[in-house]
Amino acid sequence: MIDDRNYILNSKIKGSFAENIEIAIFGMGCFWGAEKLFRNLGSDKIWTTSVGYTAGFTSNPSYEEVCSGNTGHSEVVLIAFDPSKTSYENLLKIFWEGHNPTQGMRQGNDIGAQYRSGIYYTSPEQCKKAIISKNNFQKVLTLCHYGLITTEIVKAGLFHYAEDYHQQYLTKQSIRSYGFRNTGLQYQYR
């Protein structure tokens, strides 16, 4: 059971959203930093963020089960956004610049399938934009002598909300600082 409020954005985390709200789901390693990264866009662009698990093969996984590597799930952030105020392309830019998509089943010291890079699209249009952005960012990575992108781009499956203590984790009181690494490369969507 999780609290249904994003206490930073003061919005609902779960349930149906207004018709104009679109959903984006990304896996970028540990979901704590990813959530904070997108939430920093502000409540004028982002309706809400939440963390959870997707792309696995078990029902209602717990954090411990996901970390065991036996569920196939990825740690992800769900972003509910207003496309009239920020575009999916802008979210893709943040996604590519916010982590290293060439590391396979890891991000830095976080190792395991749950930390893999993934774009979990919710519409055919998002899929097209994700593939275009991947191809464009690969060009940037190649010029900078990085390896091939290992990001999976698959249709979003069932989203399982992570436990309440994981929601807005990095902004809760008494929580240690968590370094979020990125490539430092700039991405230009074309």
Side-chain angles (χ1 to χ4, degrees), residues 1 4 9 15-16 27 54 60 62-63 72 82 85 95 113 126 131 150 171 175 177 187-188:
M1 185 74 145
D4 192 27
L9 297 173
S16 57
T54 197
N60 302 313
S62 69
Y63 180 70
D82 183 343
K85 298 188 176 168
F95 169 79
Q126 280 189 0
I131 291 169
T150 60
T171 54
I175 301 300
S177 175
Y187 168 75
Q188 181 64 45

Side-chain angles (χ1 to χ4, degrees), residues 26-41:
F26 300 113
M28 316 170 52
C30 178
F31 49 28
W32 298 335
E35 181 185 32
K36 186 174 181 183
L37 190 64
F38 286 102
R39 194 178 56 246
N40 284 344
L41 282 172

Side-chain angles (χ1 to χ4, degrees), residues 47-68:
W47 172 256
T48 198
T49 59
S50 58
V51 296
Y53 317 106
T54 197
F57 47 82
T58 63
S59 298
N60 302 313
S62 69
Y63 180 70
E64 290 76 19
E65 291 168 336
V66 170
C67 289
S68 76

Side-chain angles (χ1 to χ4, degrees), residues 62-156:
S62 69
Y63 180 70
E64 290 76 19
E65 291 168 336
V66 170
C67 289
S68 76
N70 295 325
T71 71
H73 287 89
S74 180
E75 287 190 17
V76 295
V77 59
L78 179 147
I79 304 109
F81 67 102
D82 183 343
S84 71
K85 298 188 176 168
T86 192
S87 66
Y88 186 66
E89 291 89 348
N90 187 45
L91 299 181
L92 287 167
K93 179 180 182 349
I94 293 167
F95 169 79
W96 293 118
E97 291 179 359
H99 75 300
N100 185 338
T102 68
Q103 293 189 326
M105 301 294 179
R106 70 179 302 158
Q107 277 299 300
N109 292 329
D110 293 332
I111 299 171
Q114 73 270 26
Y115 300 117
R116 68 189 181 269
S117 176
I119 299 172
Y120 305 96
Y121 61 87
T122 60
S123 70
E125 187 64 27
Q126 280 189 0
C127 179
K128 289 177 195 170
K129 290 175 180 179
I131 291 169
I132 290 168
S133 70
K134 177 183 175 185
N135 294 337
N136 288 338
F137 197 57
Q138 182 62 65
K139 292 174 190 174
V140 173
L141 292 173
T142 300
L143 286 172
C144 295
H145 307 289
Y146 279 81
L148 295 177
I149 290 173
T150 60
T151 303
E152 64 182 1
I153 300 175
V154 296
K155 185 174 176 157

